[in-house]
Amino acid sequence: MASILLACCAAHTHAAESIPRAAYQYRDTLIRAAHAVWGLDAPVAVLAAQVHTESLWKADAVSPAGAMGIAQIMPSTARWLPDIAPALRGTSPAPYNPGWALRAMCEYDLWLYDRQSAMSAGATLASCDRMSFALSGYNGGLGWVKKDRLKARDRGLEPDRYAAVAPVNAGRSRAAWKENRDYVRRIMARQELYLIWGPGVACE
């Protein structure tokens, strides 16, 4: 059922939207960053959809919460990212510089993606679930992903399936929780727009 809903959302998004003109200015920068961090099979379509969702490809975007730039990176995250991304070490945080910000986004996404399996006690997560959990962490923090997955497990749900965890709220305000779930849904649907740029993540 979840896969059917995702397919419907993807089709609706594709029909209702198009790639913003501004995206083409940064397409090659994003693809280079994605390949450098994730490898040649990088989920370029998902990463592009993430930028689309975060900022509509506006390098000078600022959110009411203080997130900055094309990848909407919070100041505290910008200061911390060089600690987990060797390629960013020795650089000054520059969230308004699209080259720095897109590389930082790719690095942070992969860091979050890699940590999902570590939370699964050896279980193998499907790529769709891992990516969905990673995106949820980018938006709301890895700590909330862990709490939601643990609460799902305690309820007898499958903590390694994003569709099973998505209805669970471990304590966030309803508005924050809903925004987080909408964030993941929009990105995974919008990747359909960007499949001409590179691979996406299949959800079946």
Side-chain angles (χ1 to χ4, degrees):
M1 182 65 178
S3 62
I4 294 172
L5 289 174
L6 182 58
C8 290
C9 289
H12 175 74
T13 298
H14 183 68
E17 293 187 280
S18 59
I19 297 175
R21 183 176 299 178
Y24 293 98
Q25 179 180 352
Y26 303 112
R27 176 179 57 185
D28 291 346
T29 302
L30 173 65
I31 292 172
R32 281 195 300 270
H35 288 168
V37 176
W38 288 75
L40 294 180
D41 58 348
V44 172
V46 177
L47 298 170
Q50 184 178 11
V51 179
H52 183 128
T53 303
E54 286 285 2
S55 68
L56 266 179
W57 300 91
K58 296 175 182 175
D60 59 351
V62 184
S63 79
M68 303 176 292
I70 198 168
Q72 288 292 277
I73 297 171
M74 293 294 289
S76 58
T77 304
R79 292 191 296 270
W80 168 76
L81 277 172
D83 293 342
I84 63 157
L88 299 179
R89 290 175 190 163
T91 68
S92 298
Y96 291 114
N97 179 316
W100 188 94
L102 293 174
R103 178 61 182 256
M105 185 194 80
C106 291
E107 295 275 7
Y108 190 26
D109 280 342
L110 181 60
W111 185 85
L112 291 163
Y113 185 88
D114 286 344
R115 267 137 197 83
Q116 302 313 311
S117 288
M119 293 162 57
S120 301
T124 300
L125 272 71
S127 295
C128 178
D129 295 313
R130 286 181 74 184
M131 181 58 72
S132 296
F133 284 129
L135 292 170
S136 179
Y138 189 99
N139 174 262
L142 181 61
W144 282 116
V145 176
K146 290 180 178 179
K147 289 177 182 178
D148 289 342
R149 291 181 67 184
L150 287 172
K151 188 167 184 175
R153 184 197 64 188
D154 292 344
R155 289 183 175 179
L157 302 172
E158 296 181 74
D160 296 335
R161 295 295 308 275
Y162 180 77
V165 176
V168 175
N169 182 1
R172 273 178 278 198
S173 71
R174 179 162 183 80
W177 171 81
K178 184 178 184 301
E179 194 281 332
N180 182 262
R181 297 315 193 242
D182 286 347
Y183 176 82
V184 176
R185 178 186 55 78
R186 291 195 305 270
I187 292 171
M188 296 305 284
R190 263 185 197 131
Q191 69 172 311
E192 297 289 321
L193 292 173
Y194 292 94
L195 289 174
I196 59 173
W197 289 14
V201 172
C203 294
E204 298 179 357

